[in-house]
Each structure stands twice: as C-alpha cells, then as structure tokens.
Amino acid sequence: MSRGMLTEEIKSKNLKLFFTKLEELGVNIHTLQEKYGELLKNASYSNNSFEDLAYDGSLLKTVLYMLTPIALEENETFKNFKVDKNKLIKVCLLQHVSKAVRMVPNNNKWEIENRGFVYKYREDNPSIKTGLHSVALMSECNIQLSPDEIEAMTIIDKDCNDTQSYLFSSILTEVVRIANSKTYLISRESKKQKNGENKK
C-alpha cells in the first residue's frame, strides 16, 4: 500500500476542487466532467513507485497540491517577466489529464514487485505523448487553448535535446517545465528521506 493512499472522501473533494478551480478560470468543464470525471478522480500521476506518486487519486492530489503551487512559486522568481497566473494554473491543472485514460492498474504482479510499475499504459493509446494527448482531450471537451498554452501543455513531451524547445520557449512554458521537474525531484527525494528515517 502506498503512503499516499487516499480515501474516497478525499478523492471526491479533490475532484470537486479541481473542477471548481477550472470554473473560476472560465473553463467550460461540462463535457470534461461528464466524460472523464470519475476517471480523473481515481487516476494516478505516475506509473511507477519511484516517487510515491503511483496510487489511486494521486493525479489530482499532485496537480492541485504540488505541481500548481510549485509553478506559482517559480513564476514569482521571474519578477517583471511573470506570466499570467490564470494561464499558468489552467495549464498545470489540465496538462496531465490524459493520464486518466492512458494508464490502468498493472495486473502483472512480478512487474509491480520487481520493477515498481504499479500502472501500465493502455495498448490502444494513440502514438502521442501525455501533453499532446491532453490537448486532444481538451479539444474533444470543447475547452479552448491558446497557442502559448498548447506550447506549455506539451513541454513535458519534449526531449531534453530538443534545442528549439529549450532555447525558444515562452516563460509560461519554462515555468511549467521547471514545475514538472521539481515535482518529480521533490517527491523522489522525500521518499528517500522517509525511507532513511524508517531505517533508523
């Protein structure tokens, strides 16, 4: 059992907060809520146990309480070049939505115990990555995204050797990229620290 195991009550509260925040940003949530609400409530942020982010409900918990706050804090460091907070929050909330349909619980006990793959990717996924898949779902759900929001949404799909993305991306995109990196890094180091404390 993961340390992050959530009750149904908490998962439901996170789902309500997720959609409330989107509505406050003027996002049309109707179709997204109707088609993917239940999947989002139970979705995992990660497929593996390396950072303690792979469990039912971790997607919304991580997006709401880690990724978005980290991005807002990072945005402040840009001082006079800070980006619009509403755009930043919108991208952070929506960027990982496709994980709700991309991943399912892994039924291979050996992979879970020996490789840490708690979830697996569906075999019928389109051959696109998480960010672009989320953009596609937004189109399906009649949620409008501007070009700079799409750029930021898809930065997690880019290889670190993608010179164009890393040299010419907007500040919005850079803030989102850093927030994603920090989310994984902080989670991974927190897990190491907990494991160290448990051994004492």
Side-chain angles (χ1 to χ4, degrees), residues 16-37:
K16 183 178 180 180
L17 178 60
F18 173 76
F19 283 119
T20 297
K21 292 292 184 184
L22 287 174
E23 274 196 306
E24 289 174 354
L25 298 173
V27 174
N28 177 7
I29 66 168
H30 178 72
T31 305
L32 180 64
Q33 189 171 35
E34 187 177 77
K35 292 191 73 170
Y36 299 110

Side-chain angles (χ1 to χ4, degrees), residues 3 19-20 30 33 40 43 94 129 132 136 152 157 166 185 189 196:
R3 297 188 188 89
F19 283 119
T20 297
H30 178 72
Q33 189 171 35
L40 283 166
L94 297 177
K129 294 185 178 181
L132 185 56
D157 300 344
Y166 280 82
L185 180 61
E189 292 304 312

Side-chain angles (χ1 to χ4, degrees), residues 29-198:
I29 66 168
H30 178 72
T31 305
L32 180 64
Q33 189 171 35
E34 187 177 77
K35 292 191 73 170
Y36 299 110
E38 194 65 22
L39 288 172
L40 283 166
K41 183 180 81 170
N42 295 300
S44 177
Y45 187 84
S46 176
N47 71 324
N48 63 71
S49 59
F50 305 149
E51 302 94 2
D52 247 356
L53 294 175
Y55 55 88
D56 283 2
S58 65
L59 174 61
L60 294 186
K61 180 184 176 184
T62 304
V63 164
L64 288 166
Y65 301 110
M66 281 197 73
L67 180 67
T68 304
I70 289 171
L72 289 170
E73 185 177 285
E74 189 65 31
N75 189 36
E76 291 300 312
T77 69
F78 283 85
K79 301 187 182 300
N80 294 337
F81 302 101
K82 288 186 293 187
V83 299
D84 180 82
K85 287 184 179 180
N86 288 343
K87 272 183 173 288
L88 184 56
I89 294 169
K90 179 182 177 183
V91 170
C92 288
L93 292 178
L94 297 177
Q95 185 177 43
H96 295 268
V97 160
S98 64
K99 289 178 178 177
V101 298
R102 291 175 67 81
M103 298 191 299
V104 293
N106 195 350
N107 54 8
N108 186 319
K109 186 178 179 182
W110 185 91
E111 283 194 339
I112 296 173
E113 294 178 351
N114 294 282
R115 300 182 66 194
F117 291 131
V118 185
Y119 289 79
K120 64 181 180 180
Y121 288 96
R122 291 167 53 115
E123 293 180 1
D124 60 349
N125 279 329
S127 57
I128 55 177
K129 294 185 178 181
T130 299
L132 185 56
H133 198 169
S134 293
V135 170
L137 291 181
M138 295 310 101
S139 178
E140 176 192 336
C141 294
N142 301 311
I143 294 174
Q144 300 297 314
L145 295 170
S146 62
D148 61 330
E149 289 169 346
I150 293 173
E151 179 189 88
M153 290 271 289
T154 57
I155 190 59
I156 54 172
D157 300 344
K158 306 295 184 180
D159 186 271
C160 60
N161 295 318
D162 188 326
T163 306
Q164 183 175 359
S165 292
Y166 280 82
L167 292 181
F168 302 106
S169 291
S170 66
I171 293 177
L172 172 64
T173 297
E174 185 64 12
V175 170
V176 171
R177 183 190 68 78
I178 293 170
N180 273 276
S181 295
K182 282 189 171 182
T183 295
Y184 280 110
L185 180 61
I186 291 170
S187 298
R188 186 164 61 249
E189 292 304 312
S190 295
K191 182 177 181 180
K192 287 180 185 177
Q193 191 175 63
K194 287 176 185 177
N195 287 341
E197 290 172 356
N198 289 339

